[in-house]
Structures are given as C-alpha cells and as structure tokens.
Amino acid sequence: MIWYREHGRDLPWRNTQDPYVIWLSEIILQQTRVEQGLPYFHRFLEAFPIVTKFAAADEGEILRLWQGLGYYSRARNMHKAAKMVVDEFGGVFPQRYAEAIRLSGVGEYTAAAIASFSANEPKAVVDGNVYRVLARYFGIAEPINSSQGKKRFAKLAQEVMDVDHAATYNQAIMDFGALQCRPKRPHCAGCPLRLDCVAYNAGSIEMLPVKLKGKASRDRFFHYFIIRTDDHILMSKRGTADVWANLYEFPMIETEHDTPVDALRGSAAFAAHFQLDAHLFELEKVSKHVLSHQNIYAKFYILPDPAMCHAKKSNWTYHLLEKIDTLAKHKLIFSFLEKNKQLINPKI
DNA sequence: TAACCGTGGGT
DNA sequence: TACCCAAGGTT
C-alpha cells in the first residue's frame, strides 16, 4: 500500500517474522505508547534473545526489567507463557493463532498479531485503532467496550480484512488508525477513504467510536515508613491480590480516610507494628498518584529508631542498602528513592 | 460481565 | 484541571 510505504513507521519488530520477537513487542505495547515501550523492547531482547532464556529467568529479574512500564501482570504472564513454550511446544514459539492464544497473557489481539505477522495467517487484529477506523468508516455507534459491540467489531474486522495479505493489512489498518484516522483532529481533508466514510459524510467523526464510561476511581491513603539501620532498609513485598502485585515497597499502613500523623500514631494498625512512643518524621506532603481505577494519596515518614518497629509482618524483610536497586519497585517507590537518595545512601 | 490492572502524553 | 487515550488480558 502506497500510503503505508510513505507514512508507516519503521520500528524494529517490523522487520522480523520471528514469533518470539513479535510476541515480545506486542505484549510490551499493550496499552503502552511506542515511545515508552521501545527501550523496554530492546532491554528484554538483549537480556533474553531467545524464549528459552526468558523461561529460565527468575520472576524477580523479569519484574525488575519491567519496572516502570505498569500493568505488571503482563510481565508475570510473559514468564508463564515462556515456560509454556518450553514445556508444551518444545521451546519453539508457536506461529498459529490456535496455539498462540493458549499462552498466558495472549488474547485475541496478540494471537492475531503473532499469527499474521509471523505466518500470514488471515486473522484480523482488533485493537483501539481498528475499533476507531471501523466505527467511523462504517458509522457504527455501538459501544466498542460492550460485549455485544466487541463481537460485532471482531466479526466485521474479519470480514473486511484482505486475507491474501494478512500481515500487511493488519499492520496498515493499525497505522492508519494511529496516524491518519487518529482520535483527535483526524486528517479527514486528505483522507483517501473520506468519500466512502459514513461518519465523515454524516459529520460525526468526533462522536465515534462510542465508549461506555466506567465507574469513578476510589481514593486510597497509603502511609509509608522508612526504617533503616546503618546498612539495611526494611522493605515489604506486596501480595498478589491488589495493585502492584509482587513488587517491593516500604512497609506501609493503609487508612480508610486522609489521616493526620497524630491520628495515625493512635491507630490500631500502627500499634500492631510500632511502639506507641515511636518518633515519626513526616517527609513530604501528600502526593497524589492517579492509577487506572484508583487515586492513591501517599505520605512518607521516617522512623529514626528501627527498634521501635516491634512486630514485623512476614513480608517485611531487611535488605542491604546497596542491593535495593535490584528489587522491582513500583513508580511511587522508585521515584521517591530517586528524589531522596541521601536518605537511603548516606555516602552520597 | 464488569471490575481491575500503571504509566505517560495530549488537550 | 480533568479527562481521554495508548499495538489488551484476566478474573
């Protein structure tokens, strides 16, 4: 397609038919901008040039490489998937849709991407770009995030795809959505499809696609405690049932409402872990972190005397100060560490 | 099936 | 500012 040759972006995973490399790039790019994902793609490919190396790594190393990308379940699912490739496919990464979709973290979109880009299997990709292009071109006002809408768009995408050029078609329609039929201020004036575009002719480009709104975010209040000896610092590994699963952070207490330090020190949760007369230095004002479905208000405190922490939870463990770089942490923590290096490393 | 899962950039 | 969006998937 001429348009693609002129405007398509030259990205490293486009010049390969290796399903492992395609899988790597597709998982990294889920809900992620190319500019943000690109360095991670290179980082992972360098650390794990083949899928068997990925499978052999430990989860901590993978999460550490993933640190900062968000949606950390993608990293854990990749590890599972790599092990599945070794155990169930003899270490040969599957190219077919029916096989790829069995892998953890690989859904319909990613399986279609792997199958079409690696083997030209005629499976249409349906991502945010495709929803937008189809909704506008065919003038479909059905919500793209309702279950019925998803089925309708998936069916339509498969019907209109060029089955003889699956890889090129899939790449092209996504590029078309990203660059030409973009969300805001699309380039309709010079669009080669505008004469047949239902939404363009109806003047409803800006209204499509339709997306149902989710419910509002909830507010959460996190209180983090910096507890260190001369050469160690107490860190806590998060559980699996909540945000930032399996990542490390400082020991913390969550409160139901915005809680001033004095009220915090009087709380049962505080008494469960700390001496009641423990000194507490408040470090920063509350910082707000907006996540997908929650607003997290975080405060940091220093507990100058580590002995005042008398009851450590089983997931609270001391780590050498010089080793905390090797722990996978979420953004709230590693950006705090970045801003407060002198607190953690007195040698600086 | 609707809720949940991060982070960053654009408007 | 507050919201939308970005190469989605799992439970």
Side-chain angles (χ1 to χ4, degrees):
Chain A
M1 184 186 277
I2 292 172
W3 181 90
Y4 171 69
R5 285 182 209 279
E6 289 181 351
H7 301 282
R9 293 170 291 183
D10 187 27
L11 297 166
W13 46 81
R14 292 200 167 166
N15 303 315
T16 180
Q17 294 193 83
D18 182 341
Y20 169 66
V21 177
I22 293 164
W23 166 74
L24 203 55
S25 69
E26 293 297 344
I27 301 294
I28 287 174
L29 262 48
Q30 284 171 13
Q31 305 292 287
T32 303
R33 327 183 96 70
V34 170
E35 302 74 41
Q36 191 192 0
L38 200 49
Y40 287 87
F41 171 76
H42 291 302
R43 188 187 302 179
F44 271 88
L45 203 52
E46 184 173 2
F48 313 120
I50 52 176
V51 67
T52 49
K53 298 261 190 191
F54 202 119
D58 67 69
E59 184 179 288
E61 182 187 4
I62 294 168
L63 283 172
R64 179 63 184 81
L65 285 169
W66 195 270
Q67 176 175 295
L69 242 197
Y71 284 132
Y72 295 90
S73 66
R74 288 183 291 169
R76 298 195 308 278
N77 281 330
M78 283 186 104
H79 196 204
K80 282 189 206 165
K83 289 189 199 170
M84 287 173 72
V85 171
V86 169
D87 294 341
E88 299 176 29
F89 297 99
V92 180
F93 206 102
Q95 295 182 289
R96 309 297 297 189
Y97 180 94
E99 294 176 339
I101 201 163
R102 290 173 46 202
L103 301 173
S104 292
V106 174
E108 292 177 7
Y109 164 79
T110 307
I114 291 170
S116 62
F117 296 148
S118 73
N120 257 304
E121 186 175 342
K123 289 284 186 180
V125 291
V126 186
D127 71 338
N129 293 306
V130 176
Y131 280 122
R132 187 169 54 256
V133 171
L134 296 180
R136 287 173 175 171
Y137 184 77
F138 292 102
I140 299 170
E142 190 166 349
I144 61 170
N145 57 343
S146 69
S147 63
Q148 200 176 332
K150 285 181 199 168
K151 284 180 190 168
R152 179 173 175 186
F153 280 96
K155 185 167 179 285
L156 177 62
Q158 190 62 38
E159 284 169 3
V160 301
M161 96 170 294
D162 180 350
V163 295
D164 295 324
H165 307 88
T168 304
Y169 173 85
N170 275 342
Q171 198 70 258
I173 191 170
M174 288 194 288
D175 267 352
F176 185 79
L179 303 171
Q180 177 87 8
C181 194
R182 60 188 188 179
K184 303 291 179 190
R185 297 180 297 106
H187 303 297
C188 293
C191 181
L193 301 182
R194 73 183 182 286
L195 294 183
D196 297 320
C197 179
V198 173
Y200 176 77
N201 289 306
S204 59
I205 284 284
E206 301 289 347
M207 329 242 321
L208 296 175
V210 174
K211 199 169 184 178
L212 265 29
K213 286 182 184 172
K215 72 169 196 183
S217 297
R218 64 172 168 143
D219 291 336
R220 305 177 71 176
F221 303 88
F222 288 6
H223 306 266
Y224 286 107
F225 304 98
I226 317 291
I227 304 167
R228 43 160 297 209
T229 64
D230 283 344
D231 50 0
H232 286 74
I233 185 165
L234 198 57
M235 299 295 284
S236 168
K237 187 176 184 181
R238 291 185 65 86
T240 55
D242 198 357
V243 68
W244 297 318
N246 292 6
L247 297 192
Y248 284 88
E249 59 183 9
F250 305 126
M252 62 91 86
I253 290 173
E254 178 173 4
T255 56
E256 200 64 33
H257 306 284
D258 188 8
T259 307
V261 63
D262 289 336
L264 183 68
R265 294 175 80 245
S267 70
F270 188 84
H273 301 295
F274 303 103
Q275 301 287 114
L276 290 182
D277 57 346
H279 286 289
L280 223 47
F281 289 118
E282 220 169 318
L283 273 179
E284 296 185 340
K285 289 184 193 171
V286 178
S287 63
K288 180 180 177 181
H289 292 258
V290 181
L291 274 50
S292 304
H293 292 83
Q294 43 193 308
N295 303 315
I296 290 177
Y297 297 86
K299 245 189 227 178
F300 292 87
Y301 312 85
I302 289 183
L303 186 75
D305 181 0
M308 290 294 181
C309 174
H310 60 67
K312 300 203 299 288
K313 293 170 72 174
S314 59
N315 59 330
W316 292 11
T317 50
Y318 277 102
H319 292 262
L320 272 174
L321 287 169
E322 61 232 39
K323 294 274 192 177
I324 58 173
D325 273 355
T326 65
L327 300 177
K329 302 166 286 291
H330 53 84
K331 192 205 168 204
L332 194 44
I333 300 302
F334 69 69
S335 64
F336 175 87
L337 285 170
E338 190 60 30
K339 279 188 294 185
N340 298 279
K341 281 178 183 167
Q342 77 290 352
L343 279 177
I344 306 308
N345 189 347
K347 283 173 285 193
I348 294 180

